[in-house]
Every structure is written in structure tokens, then in C-alpha cells.
Amino acid sequence: MTNVVSGSEWLVRVVVVEENVLDSCFSVGLAEDEYGEGRYLTFQCGLESPGAQERTLGLDSYCIINETGGVYYGGVEKVSLSANMIFFRFTPEAVEKLDLPTGEINLHIAPGSDVENLRGGLRRVLTYGNPEKVPSVLQL
């Protein structure tokens, strides 16, 4: 399979699901390569429920980070995961802040990836915090 199919479709070769106690966050990372040279999406949430300050600042949900340097809180409308593919639909605001090529992205998952760990990690991150920012379609 080629590395790049289009701007909205790429191959995930690295899947990382981990809890970082020192930074008080839980992360799910999807990347084209292990060196950080390609595209990536990282989804993070806190280890504890958001506090009053996070709620006031709108930082009361999961956070998305990507290779463009974009950061956005919330922003996933739909996610669907199968054994070898993950589909995301993002809000227009997330597309703008993350400088995404489109609001719909299909990621092919490389053979041998731990899809069950990915499934549980995404469920944990995307349901964190503000219920209004949880994806309306969560097929994990």
C-alpha cells in the first residue's frame, strides 16, 4: 500500500495508546511513521474530570493535536473503526484550526496494529469531559 492516497486518506503505521501520569493525560496517537516525519493525529484527555477553570475556558473535553501544530478541543462529529480502517468526520471549526484538507478523513490501519487497544483508547478519550463535545456517532 502506498504511503499517501490523498490528503484525506493515509496509512497509519504507528498506533500508541498510553497513560502519562507525570503530565496527567491519556493519549491515543496515530502516525504515518515512528519518526514524526509524516502526518499524525493525537487525541488527549485528562486523567481526572475537568475542573471549573477548564469548563470556563472551553478546555473541558478531549484535545486533538496534529503535525500542522494545530490544537483543538472537541471537534470530532463521527468516528467509525473497523479492523483495518478508521474514519473521522470533524466539525468545520476543527478543520480550520487543525488545517485539515477536508472534514472527512479515512485512515488505513497497517496490519499487525493493536486495533482493540486503539478502540478502547479512542472510546476513553472521545467520551471524556463535556458531553456536548462527544461525537454524535461513536462506532468503536
Side-chain angles (χ1 to χ4, degrees):
M1 178 174 286
T2 60
N3 192 26
V4 177
V5 179
S6 73
S8 63
E9 191 169 340
W10 43 278
L11 176 62
V12 173
R13 290 187 175 89
V14 179
V15 174
V16 177
V17 178
E18 65 185 6
E19 190 171 284
N20 182 331
V21 176
L22 290 176
D23 292 332
S24 190
C25 72
F26 181 81
S27 300
V28 174
L30 306 167
E32 279 188 304
D33 67 54
E34 65 268 22
Y35 306 108
E37 299 292 323
R39 290 173 282 191
Y40 68 84
L41 288 170
T42 302
F43 300 84
Q44 294 182 334
C45 70
L47 296 181
E48 298 182 16
S49 297
Q53 182 176 2
E54 287 89 2
R55 287 190 296 278
T56 300
L57 296 172
L59 309 177
D60 58 345
S61 73
Y62 58 91
C63 170
I64 308 168
I65 305 163
N66 71 350
E67 78 283 349
T68 68
V71 177
Y72 193 75
Y73 284 81
V76 175
E77 293 179 332
K78 176 180 180 177
V79 61
S80 179
L81 176 64
S82 67
N84 61 357
M85 178 81 77
I86 186 164
F87 168 81
F88 291 101
R89 183 172 59 225
F90 296 94
T91 64
E93 298 82 10
V95 171
E96 181 181 337
K97 293 287 185 183
L98 297 169
D99 196 23
L100 298 173
T102 179
E104 296 187 347
I105 296 183
N106 285 299
L107 304 179
H108 301 272
I109 301 170
S113 297
D114 187 349
V115 175
E116 288 310 308
N117 195 29
L118 173 60
R119 184 180 318 280
L122 282 173
R123 184 174 290 115
R124 178 174 173 181
V125 170
L126 296 175
T127 59
Y128 173 83
N130 186 340
E132 293 178 10
K133 294 182 181 178
V134 171
S136 59
V137 178
L138 193 66
Q139 297 172 331
L140 295 174

